[in-house]
Amino acid sequence: YGSIVIISLVILISCNVNSYDCDVFAEEKNEEQNTETDIICNWPEDIIDPGPALPQYLSAPKIMNILNTNKGIKVQWKKVNNAHGYRIQRKLGNSKWKDLKILKENQYTDKTVENGKKYQYKIYAYASNSIDFIESTGTKSTTKKILYLKAPVISNIKKSQNTRYKIVWKKNKKADGYKIQISTSKKFKNNKSKIKEISTYKFNPKIYGMKKKKSYYVRIRAYKVDGKQLHYSAWSNIKILK
């Protein structure tokens, strides 16, 4: 009897050791009710380990700034604690929301926009590991609307008199008017120079009141009135009045 017990123990231990090296199969049914065999033993360690634990909740990102630039519409939002990245959605007019980009940064420039069209943007925060995923609630995500206007390009400046200039640029048919800014500083800083602003509906107005033998910098941007909201394009290229 003693010999039989010892032999049984040796066989049992041998089977337990070898079980780590063999394949284990599990039968499951898919949506078509077909049975499939899945190998579930000998998984790599990085699949078994899910990685860092996910947060229980992610705040909805708050859009801090949205503006027209020379490259498109730039959207910036506040970083969300414990978020690994963001998903930005866009809506054109009355169309449906569509995913635009998944990214790590908290800003994005949409370069696919068209002149004179109105867009809305919404941001989601997410966190993920190798087996799980969490995203901020869409109903609490802030949305922002903006109408895209191409920036004017100053093509010519004609000097008619010592203190009178005529500025020429290509007309934007989607704009309601233009704002011209003139400064003694190339950076257009209020604390370093006086800035003169002129609102006009003309796209080639005459500018008066420049002092002789003094250099001025000029730039232009288009605007569009949408109800109570005023949409501006980016500033144009800078030209010098001498």
Side-chain angles (χ1 to χ4, degrees), residues 147 174-177 201 223-231:
L147 186 141
K174 300 294 183 179
D176 291 330
Y201 291 97
Y223 67 82
K224 177 77 175 179
V225 181
D226 180 31
K228 295 182 179 181
Q229 193 172 7
L230 193 61
H231 300 276

Side-chain angles (χ1 to χ4, degrees), residues 156-167:
N156 195 11
I157 294 180
K158 298 178 181 179
K159 188 174 183 180
S160 56
Q161 295 179 5
N162 288 332
T163 59
R164 183 181 297 178
Y165 296 84
K166 185 177 182 180
I167 303 174

Side-chain angles (χ1 to χ4, degrees), residues 47 98 108 141 156 209 215 225:
I47 296 180
K98 292 184 179 181
Y108 178 72
S141 296
N156 195 11
S215 295
V225 181

Side-chain angles (χ1 to χ4, degrees), residues 106-203:
N106 62 321
Q107 63 178 20
Y108 178 72
T109 300
D110 184 5
K111 300 178 182 179
T112 62
V113 291
E114 298 181 34
N115 183 52
K117 293 188 177 181
K118 188 187 294 185
Y119 299 88
Q120 295 184 62
Y121 294 89
K122 183 188 295 186
I123 315 296
Y124 299 84
Y126 75 85
S128 64
N129 56 28
S130 61
I131 63 171
D132 207 355
F133 178 86
I134 183 174
E135 189 172 64
S136 59
T137 307
T139 55
K140 295 183 180 180
S141 296
T142 59
T143 61
K144 289 288 184 179
K145 298 179 181 179
I146 188 171
L147 186 141
Y148 179 67
L149 288 173
K150 285 190 69 174
V153 177
I154 300 174
S155 57
N156 195 11
I157 294 180
K158 298 178 181 179
K159 188 174 183 180
S160 56
Q161 295 179 5
N162 288 332
T163 59
R164 183 181 297 178
Y165 296 84
K166 185 177 182 180
I167 303 174
V168 181
W169 64 90
K170 186 177 181 180
K171 186 176 182 179
N172 188 339
K173 295 181 180 180
K174 300 294 183 179
D176 291 330
Y178 305 89
K179 178 164 284 189
I180 303 171
Q181 199 172 67
I182 303 169
S183 174
T184 55
S185 169
K186 189 176 182 179
K187 294 183 178 180
F188 293 85
K189 297 293 184 180
N190 279 312
N191 59 343
K192 293 184 179 180
S193 64
K194 292 183 178 180
I195 296 177
K196 181 180 181 181
E197 288 191 341
I198 303 168
S199 294
T200 178
Y201 291 97
K202 299 178 181 179
F203 68 95

Side-chain angles (χ1 to χ4, degrees), residues 5-20:
V5 171
I6 293 172
I7 294 172
S8 300
L9 288 174
V10 170
I11 294 173
L12 180 62
I13 294 171
S14 177
C15 288
N16 288 335
V17 171
N18 292 333
S19 64
Y20 289 98

